[in-house]
Amino acid sequence: MSQFITIQVGQCGNQIGAAFWPLALHEYGIQTSSGGVNLLKIDKNHMKNTKDLADAFHSFFHVPHTTSDLSFKTLADLNAAKVKARAILIDMEDSVVARFKCGPLRTLFDHSCTVTNYPGSGNNWAVGHYTHGTEYFEKIDNTIRRVAEKCDRLHGFVLVNSLGGGTGSGLGTATLKQLDDNYPHVDRFVSSVYPAGIQDVVTAPYNVLLSTHELTEHATCVFPAENKALLEICNVQMDKKENIDQGKYNATCKPFQDMNSVIVNMLLHVTSGSRFPGTLNTDMNELATNLVPYPRMHYIFSSVSPVALTAPSRSIVRGTRTHDELFTSAWSRSNQLIKVDPLRPGSVIIGAAHIVRGNSSLTNIRRNIERFQDKAKFTSWSRDVMKVGLCSVPPAGHSTSVMCLMNSTAVSSMLRDIVHQFDQLYRRKAHVHHYLQVDGFDKTTFEESKESILSLSDHYKEIQNQQPLNIPRMKLVQ
Ligand SMILES: Nc1nc2c(ncn2[C@@H]2O[C@H](COP(=O)(O)OP(=O)(O)OP(=O)(O)O)[C@@H](O)[C@H]2O)c(=O)[nH]1
Ligand SMILES: [Mg+2]
């Protein structure tokens, strides 16, 4: 099974990490507690795969060679065996990382793999990228190398950050560039949170533009998530009272917690084929090859159905949804992690993949892929080929789930919006002096980043305009 190193950068990145690790442990059948919510016991579907789960455990965790028994059940077992998460925690402000150090999972993290400072990057991409990027270059480099040396099948880096502030966006993209320079053959998957429509950080339009340019240059795949979309997904779930175990849904809810778990479930799903066995195994590198037809065009729409909020105990589905319903909801606009409909009229799918976890059959999947192909418009090369993964281990709390990944030309409207938000602030040169006073930042960087994003958006549009309407035929790739 492939191994991944997770790099959490900035407040948002580390808060997503705080939601990620308890759920990741739960997928391996290890009970823990998260924010006072006791997780459910793993179900039979997990139990019957005990050996596979143990093997798959190495994907996210380093187990010292001296440990032969991998049947961990509790945090105490992990602690006794000196198991460590393959994780690097970076924040230029130390309060969120400090919570890891004294929280219930404190022994899971190697404290020498944390990089912190005080008081942060002041919501300034240039401070994160240049000031802290330079000062912490060596420390981050050494930390990554130490964690990488403990991997014997390093497949990818998973970097999580937000783009609205200064550390996740600036230092996060400086770290991404370091990975590109030092590990060019290891995939770099990035899940970045884009701010809500109403900005809570005045300089967010600058930070988003500058970091999107870097993501375009240095990531293998970007799975963007917009806070507005995450909030709406959570609100819909909260309204669907029949889908939530209300008894467990109480004051333990923290700001962003549910929104972050939507991202976490996406990350666990997208890596599931690389971690667990399945009849149609799909590794992350196959996904990148199938979904990204040209360099830089690697912004991937993602959605998972059913949506799971926070701990599995809070998202028990009462009543089973049919496979067709799961697929339909995975394609639906309201389940996308960004506020753009990938299947909107006029848009073209230049790559797509479906990953099904749990109970399903190829016949079921085949029928639904045909439905999908009738629904969407494709390019001539993406029309007949549809990447499909079938992972036998379901996510915690569900018997089956479906993830749809799409590379759609509709992403050009997100890119245009980034430039539009930037223009509104840059036209008056508001707040620009904060960036110009940072050593290493050149004022042409704003214009270069804008040009790069516009040219990427144009490239998507070009492909969209070239394509005739087509009703495709299906072919499954194994
Ligand atoms: N979804 C989500 N968004 C968050 C979270 N924390 C912060 N944000 C958003 O991220 C943006 C701010 O980024 P932060 O991660 O706080 O900033 P940072 O990377 O720590 O950078 P500095 O604080 O400027 O050094 C804002 O748009 C917030 O709304 C979180 O846990 N989840
Ligand atoms: Mg911060």
Side-chain angles (χ1 to χ4, degrees):
M1 295 291 156
S2 305
Q3 294 165 351
F4 295 93
I5 296 175
T6 304
I7 305 181
Q8 320 171 170
V9 196
Q11 169 168 326
C12 177
N14 280 288
Q15 287 178 172
I16 293 170
F20 179 86
W21 292 104
L23 281 180
L25 285 172
H26 192 81
E27 285 207 350
Y28 295 104
I30 294 161
Q31 294 184 62
T32 175
S33 63
S34 165
V37 181
N38 285 323
L39 301 187
L40 290 181
K41 281 187 178 162
I42 50 172
D43 60 27
K44 282 189 192 134
N45 277 320
H46 277 77
M47 289 307 283
K48 73 182 176 204
N49 292 305
T50 304
K51 173 159 185 330
D52 291 335
L53 283 170
D55 286 347
F57 191 69
H58 287 97
S59 295
F60 285 155
F61 301 95
H62 171 68
V63 185
H65 290 307
T66 46
T67 313
S68 54
D69 178 14
L70 294 180
S71 55
F72 307 115
K73 293 276 183 293
T74 62
L75 280 176
D77 295 342
L78 296 179
N79 194 13
K82 296 191 169 39
V83 170
K84 297 289 175 209
R86 300 189 195 278
I88 297 168
L89 286 56
I90 304 173
D91 199 356
M92 292 296 102
E93 187 261 331
D94 57 2
S95 67
V96 183
V97 173
R99 269 184 249 148
F100 276 92
K101 290 184 177 168
C102 55
L105 302 185
R106 60 189 170 278
T107 53
L108 192 63
F109 298 98
D110 181 343
H111 292 196
S112 70
C113 294
T114 61
V115 181
T116 57
N117 189 0
Y118 182 83
S121 305
N123 294 166
N124 184 334
W125 180 90
V127 172
H129 199 82
Y130 291 108
T131 314
H132 293 135
T134 308
E135 189 179 343
Y136 286 92
F137 181 90
E138 228 171 283
K139 186 161 186 195
I140 292 175
D141 207 35
N142 289 337
T143 310
I144 296 170
R145 188 167 340 101
R146 270 205 322 277
V147 181
E149 279 168 3
K150 289 185 181 159
C151 298
D152 44 26
R153 276 160 299 156
L154 177 59
H155 178 96
F157 295 100
V158 178
L159 193 145
V160 279
N161 62 351
S162 72
L163 303 189
T167 300
S169 73
L171 186 56
T173 52
T175 305
L176 183 68
K177 182 173 184 316
Q178 250 173 293
L179 296 175
D180 191 5
D181 291 343
N182 297 342
Y183 306 86
H185 303 300
V186 181
D187 286 334
R188 299 166 301 283
F189 302 103
V190 186
S191 178
S192 293
V193 172
Y194 282 75
I198 300 163
Q199 316 283 3
D200 45 3
V201 173
V202 70
T203 48
Y206 291 158
N207 301 333
V208 168
L209 178 109
L210 294 162
S211 42
T212 301
H213 169 51
E214 296 290 324
L215 294 180
T216 303
E217 296 303 319
H218 301 294
T220 306
C221 277
V222 180
F223 302 99
E226 283 179 318
N227 267 345
K228 202 171 173 192
L230 298 176
L231 197 60
E232 286 182 16
I233 291 174
C234 292
N235 286 342
V236 169
Q237 291 306 306
M238 297 305 295
D239 289 345
K240 282 189 195 162
K241 295 200 169 52
E242 78 277 13
N243 277 357
I244 307 270
D245 184 338
Q246 290 296 309
K248 302 259 168 52
Y249 198 90
N250 54 31
T252 57
C253 181
K254 294 185 185 132
F256 291 126
Q257 196 175 27
D258 284 332
M259 290 158 68
N260 290 347
S261 16
V262 174
I263 299 175
V264 168
N265 281 298
M266 179 275 287
L267 289 172
L268 290 173
H269 212 117
V270 81
T271 53
S272 63
S274 302
R275 297 183 290 128
F276 296 118
T279 38
L280 257 181
N281 229 350
T282 301
D283 220 326
M284 285 284 277
N285 64 344
E286 298 171 38
L287 284 179
T289 311
N290 280 272
L291 289 171
V292 184
Y294 297 108
R296 296 158 39 98
M297 299 182 87
H298 50 231
Y299 289 85
I300 310 296
F301 287 82
S302 60
S303 64
V304 179
S305 173
V307 173
L309 296 184
T310 317
S313 54
R314 290 173 60 188
S315 54
I316 298 167
V317 173
R318 300 252 164 92
T320 328
R321 296 168 78 183
T322 65
H323 279 88
D324 290 14
E325 283 169 344
L326 287 177
F327 273 91
T328 304
S329 128
W331 304 326
S332 119
R333 176 188 183 154
S334 59
N335 260 353
Q336 304 302 320
L337 268 54
I338 61 173
K339 286 285 305 160
V340 177
D341 182 2
L343 300 174
R344 71 175 185 199
S347 63
V348 168
I349 302 297
I350 60 177
H354 289 83
I355 302 174
V356 182
R357 296 187 67 179
N359 300 327
S360 195
S361 68
L362 272 178
T363 319
N364 259 328
I365 297 175
R366 194 177 290 268
R367 186 182 63 254
N368 279 290
I369 298 295
E370 276 175 2
R371 288 176 58 222
F372 178 67
Q373 289 179 313
D374 285 344
K375 224 176 139 60
K377 240 173 81 178
F378 295 82
T379 61
S380 52
W381 72 84
S382 62
R383 186 171 55 218
D384 295 332
V385 187
M386 189 67 56
K387 190 71 194 161
V388 171
L390 184 47
C391 167
S392 56
V393 180
H398 298 284
S399 60
T400 312
S401 68
V402 174
M403 164 177 253
C404 179
L405 298 169
M406 290 181 244
N407 193 344
S408 164
T409 57
V411 82
S412 63
S413 75
M414 183 189 93
L415 299 171
R416 292 259 158 196
D417 192 51
I418 292 169
V419 172
H420 173 70
Q421 302 279 343
F422 163 78
D423 278 341
Q424 283 193 324
L425 199 59
Y426 193 67
R427 200 172 291 135
R428 300 296 174 105
K429 302 287 183 287
H431 300 280
V432 163
H433 65 287
H434 298 300
Y435 292 73
L436 297 184
Q437 68 197 15
V438 174
D439 267 355
F441 185 84
D442 190 309
K443 63 176 182 232
T444 57
T445 314
F446 280 126
E447 296 295 343
E448 277 168 21
S449 302
K450 175 178 165 177
E451 286 314 311
S452 140
I453 295 170
L454 285 177
S455 114
L456 179 63
S457 166
D458 288 345
H459 198 177
Y460 274 109
K461 281 230 154 112
E462 234 169 76
I463 292 178
Q464 178 170 299
N465 295 337
Q466 277 168 9
Q467 299 312 310
L469 268 171
N470 235 321
I471 310 274
R473 301 294 310 150
M474 184 196 74
K475 183 172 156 194
L476 286 176
V477 178
Q478 302 204 15

